Amino acid sequence: MSVINKKCECGKNSIYYKSYEGRAYCKRCLARQIEMNVKKTLRKDGLIKKGDKIAVAVSGGKDSCFLLYIINKIFRNVKGIDFFALCIDEGIKGYRKKSLDAAKKLCKMLDVKYYVVKFDDAFNYTIDKIMKRISDEKSRQKICTYCGVFKRYLINKEARKLNATKVAVGHNLDDEAESVLMNILRGDFNRFLRLGASPILIEDKKFVQRIKPIRNVSSDEIILYNKINKIPFYYQRCPYSYDNVRRDVKNIIDKLEKKYPGTKYQIVRFYDKLKPILLKRVKPNGKMKYCKICKEPTSRDICEACELLEKLKN
Ligand code: SF4
Ligand SMILES: [Zn+2]
Ligand SMILES: [Zn+2]
């Protein structure tokens, strides 16, 4: 992101310059361009259709607050499409309450229904409790694995209970580019195939399809859009966000983007071109099963959440 003296095409002063487009934007034109970007993703990938009830996963951070705001803006007055916010409280003292307060503030501002589901109620564990239970530093650094697995599990289960047909998540362009590179670095072909606007999971009535309406909007643009529209959000980082592969990949991509503007966009475009070609030749692994312990859908005998819960007992 860089601000230059160039005027926007409409003649107004610019606040943002997209170097790879060679175009400067004023506040109004930028907001409009971002909204068009999201609409294009929704349309091109057919993400939301009449009859859908969308559970918007909202944490209170900049991306999910932007996602809820824009879904509300696009679908508020569209008949036959319903949505609500689904917030997960992982139990992280000094952090999650503040971010959920921002999420609730936004829901009230937009008059959107919201539901808060707690790890503690669902699993009898909070992330704080798990951190205390894990003694060695190496495992403590994997706290995001526990958090991510439990969160995905709970979002799917609760969204289903609330009759949602889809779950919208706040993955932005930066996240998507990072995921593409991360899966290449890890050699995780199966996960690589599951990226995209509407990731392929095992099709099953107990799985609620995940969609990523903001995957073509960059993190910088989201920050500006939130500012322009005075969208409340919580900006602090989780105290448990350790250095990990994603952080390293993010730093590399950010550096490349600075030197070669448009890198993030090109990585995602390249993936989008490659995926249909790959899917013609290979099918992602995994058959639908139900967890022997909790009966939730999984590709294994015991789902990842139950496996981690068992680990915590030892
Ligand atoms: S940084 Fe890790 S522990 Fe913190 S909310 Fe995110 S996934 Fe959970
Ligand atoms: Zn303009
Ligand atoms: Zn299970």
Side-chain angles (χ1 to χ4, degrees):
M1 177 176 49
S2 54
V3 179
I4 56 150
N5 293 327
K6 231 175 165 181
K7 292 259 183 203
C8 176
E9 279 180 2
C10 73
K12 289 199 182 116
N13 287 336
S14 63
I15 58 154
Y16 181 62
Y17 182 68
K18 244 189 195 181
S19 352
Y20 69 93
E21 273 182 8
R23 196 187 149 179
Y25 287 88
C26 72
K27 275 186 196 175
R28 214 164 141 246
C29 292
L30 179 66
R32 202 170 335 139
Q33 184 270 334
I34 292 170
E35 285 158 13
M36 272 164 51
N37 178 334
V38 177
K39 282 182 190 164
K40 193 175 161 197
T41 306
L42 289 167
R43 202 176 43 239
K44 187 171 152 269
D45 294 291
L47 297 188
I48 297 180
K49 297 193 175 100
K50 282 255 151 84
D52 270 336
K53 186 176 181 186
I54 314 295
V56 184
V58 183
S59 66
K62 75 173 198 317
D63 300 318
S64 61
C65 285
F66 164 72
L67 172 68
L68 182 65
Y69 183 92
I70 209 146
I71 285 205
N72 179 67
K73 182 152 194 174
I74 298 172
F75 295 109
R76 172 113 232 151
N77 298 314
V78 177
K79 271 192 186 161
I81 292 174
D82 199 5
F83 55 91
F84 61 88
L86 181 55
C87 312
I88 304 291
D89 182 350
E90 307 94 335
I92 302 172
K93 209 171 167 230
Y95 169 71
R96 189 47 88 213
K97 188 189 170 303
K98 289 179 190 160
S99 78
L100 287 182
D101 282 350
K104 288 177 199 167
K105 192 174 166 188
L106 177 64
C107 291
K108 282 176 192 159
M109 188 178 120
L110 302 174
D111 192 22
V112 170
K113 219 184 233 179
Y114 66 86
Y115 300 86
V116 180
V117 191
K118 297 181 174 195
F119 271 19
D120 214 3
D121 295 337
F123 306 112
N124 232 346
Y125 276 107
T126 62
I127 286 297
D128 285 340
K129 277 190 208 166
I130 297 174
M131 275 304 268
K132 278 186 194 139
R133 219 160 142 61
I134 302 170
S135 49
D136 67 296
E137 187 56 26
K138 253 210 147 124
S139 304
R140 285 163 75 100
Q141 286 183 14
K142 287 191 183 146
I143 192 69
C144 292
T145 305
Y146 284 89
C147 193
V149 167
F150 289 163
K151 220 175 326 203
R152 276 194 299 278
Y153 178 95
L154 212 49
I155 285 176
N156 184 66
K157 199 171 171 183
E158 293 304 317
R160 195 182 66 228
K161 269 198 212 161
L162 292 161
N163 297 318
T165 52
K166 283 166 191 160
V167 171
V169 293
H171 284 241
N172 63 32
L173 183 76
D174 301 49
D175 299 327
E176 198 71 345
E178 286 158 25
S179 299
V180 171
L181 266 198
M182 258 174 69
N183 286 313
I184 292 174
L185 291 179
R186 287 175 170 161
D188 196 336
F189 189 60
N190 222 26
R191 233 174 236 183
F192 182 77
L193 286 178
R194 289 191 191 141
L195 300 175
S198 173
I200 305 164
L201 291 169
I202 305 162
E203 276 185 35
D204 182 73
K205 61 182 189 314
K206 280 186 133 183
F207 267 131
V208 186
Q209 189 194 348
R210 279 157 67 91
I211 54 168
K212 300 180 194 165
I214 64 167
R215 77 187 277 271
N216 292 307
V217 187
S218 74
S219 185
D220 287 344
E221 289 174 7
I222 289 172
I223 292 169
L224 285 171
Y225 188 93
N226 287 357
K227 218 170 157 187
I228 294 167
N229 292 287
K230 299 188 175 60
I231 301 174
F233 66 92
Y234 187 61
Y235 52 86
Q236 294 288 342
R237 194 184 265 173
C238 168
Y240 299 133
S241 69
Y242 279 95
D243 257 357
N244 53 25
V245 190
R246 185 172 281 274
R247 182 89 58 86
D248 290 338
V249 169
K250 180 182 170 28
N251 290 338
I252 294 167
I253 297 183
D254 281 346
K255 256 189 212 165
L256 288 170
E257 179 72 39
K258 230 177 179 179
K259 202 165 172 188
Y260 310 106
T263 296
K264 292 172 190 174
Y265 178 79
Q266 295 300 357
I267 293 173
V268 174
R269 285 296 71 79
F270 182 77
Y271 176 82
D272 288 347
K273 280 181 194 156
L274 183 64
K275 186 173 165 179
I277 299 169
L278 291 175
L279 284 179
K280 274 188 194 152
R281 307 200 54 166
V282 272
K283 287 269 166 272
N285 281 342
K287 258 192 194 157
M288 192 279 297
K289 289 180 188 173
Y290 293 105
C291 171
K292 283 184 177 157
I293 299 174
C294 70
K295 311 283 180 271
E296 284 297 303
T298 174
S299 56
R300 310 144 160 241
D301 289 336
I302 308 273
C303 77
E304 272 186 287
C306 287
E307 199 176 280
L308 290 175
L309 284 170
E310 284 300 308
K311 242 190 207 172
L312 287 168
K313 283 183 191 162
N314 304 322

